[in-house]
Amino acid sequence: MLTVGGNRHARTRRFREWRPGIRRVLPRIPGEVMAVIAELKARGFQAFLVGGALRDLFLGREPEDWDVATSALPGQVEEVFPGRLLVHTGKRFGTVRVLTGEIPVDVTTFRREGTYTDGRRPDWVEFEESVVDDLSRRDFTVNAMALDPLAQKLVDPFRGRGDLRRRVIRTVGDPQSRFSEDALRMLRFYRFQAVLNFRGEAETERVIAQVAAEDPSLLAKVSPERVREELNKLLTGVAPGKALRGLVRTGLLTIIAPEFTPVVMDPELMEHLLATVEAIKPEPHLRWAAFLHDLGKPATRIQDGTGIHYFGHEQAGEKLAAVLLERLRFSRAFTEKVLILVRRHMFPCDPGMSDTALRRLAAKVGREALIDLLELRRADIVASGNHYHRAWRILSEFASRIQALLREEKVLTLSDLAVNGRDVMAVLGLAPGPEVGRVMQELFSWVTEDPERNTRERLLRYLEEKKKKKENSPC
Ligand code: ATP
Ligand code: MG
């Protein structure tokens, strides 16, 4: 059993000099959370603010969600907050979501967990009346503190505040057993490094590399959705490159994504991908596209008299990326958003392109993807360093032309046409089907020649003429 730090209060006093102390954190706790804690305490239960919210408050960050740990059993929590419960799904694990105002509060009974035969969930959950036992089942020291805001008492048995100060991620207890209990924690170890820009304790990383090498199937027991969520948070963090390098060093990346196996063998390519990730805006689909955009390079690499080429690497990369994203159970819409960027990332970016050619490009990729593609190209250039100034100038000129086109609201995609599929069906007497799409494409091509043609009247006339031609046609 881990022991509670002896002179905790002395430490707290010392910390107050360099970081917001408890008193500075208190006013930032929402009224809803205070009310939940106060009501539980008024009924004689213990109640603490715990987990990520407390960590984030100490760091001056905005917490995502609010967790309260209590000695009350789930049924007792329900009695304290009748009619103010949101969901009961977590109840089996002791969690009840309480809504007293705008902000929901997840109230969880103190837990001490048993063995983990499936490597994910404890076989039994026993409710214990001890906050320290609850904290000792948490993953990292910075996530394993509890604050009673009414008593102004911080419970920090694993020196989480010291690790916050040193900016280090360290497991609660022995890393080896904590990771074999739940392999997802290995990923979380890197996720928090990326999100908080902390470093991971070196010894912990050594253990991860060992666990990953000895039993690569451990991570396979973790649900793809959980892996996906951790990777999303990692990629959109402030320091994704550092965390991803850790995943490469320990072998975790190729366990999760074997598609990267040839990429990690080419350190220059890997570094380029990481630099692109860091250079692009922190939106999930952009970060994923940056990470995956050159996945097809190793398979398409050829060398001839003129140098090294990667013909068709964007199509090859798209295929690999599709397999990876599907395995992680990303939604279809998200996957398609990423794949279109991988597929088109080599789009010609020539400021001398004609308006018609520009509109054709926009039609192929869509208005939103076009803006994303420009952002991906910008990051790609920043990450390559090659011919930086020239490439940058060309991209800027190209981007201003696209933006001008968007501003002038010229026709850029099918949905910008002054008629829609229903009009096409009505005039030509068509049933819904691929023919409608083909006619829309035809209208679009006609309009890209001259945007002035994009009025409802002219397009309907075009359709009428098309109908007449069809009627008069001998076959
Ligand atoms: P975020 O700000 O992203 O929500 P968080 O720290 O709140 O970060 P969550 O995944 O919401 O992370 O988990 C809430 C808390 O539950 C954590 O702070 C940690 O104390 C504990 N926890 C979560 N997942 C695990 C796990 N796999 N093993 C042990 N403890 C965990
Ligand atoms: Mg959270």
Side-chain angles (χ1 to χ4, degrees), residues 50-56 61-67 111 113 116 120 134-140 142-145 178 181-186 188 191-192 195-196 226 230 233:
V50 289
L54 183 55
R55 175 201 68 219
D56 289 346
R61 293 164 51 92
E62 202 56 48
E64 292 222 347
D65 36 41
W66 298 89
D67 287 300
R111 282 182 290 183
E113 296 179 338
Y116 293 67
R120 254 305 316 145
D134 178 284
L135 296 178
S136 67
R137 82 181 165 85
R138 292 175 184 268
D139 48 7
F140 304 109
V142 294
N143 292 342
M145 296 180 278
R178 301 316 306 282
E181 275 168 14
D182 179 1
L184 187 73
R185 291 175 189 151
M186 298 193 277
R188 289 172 63 88
R191 185 259 272 201
F192 288 113
V195 171
L196 304 174
R226 306 276 317 254
E230 292 302 326
K233 288 187 173 172

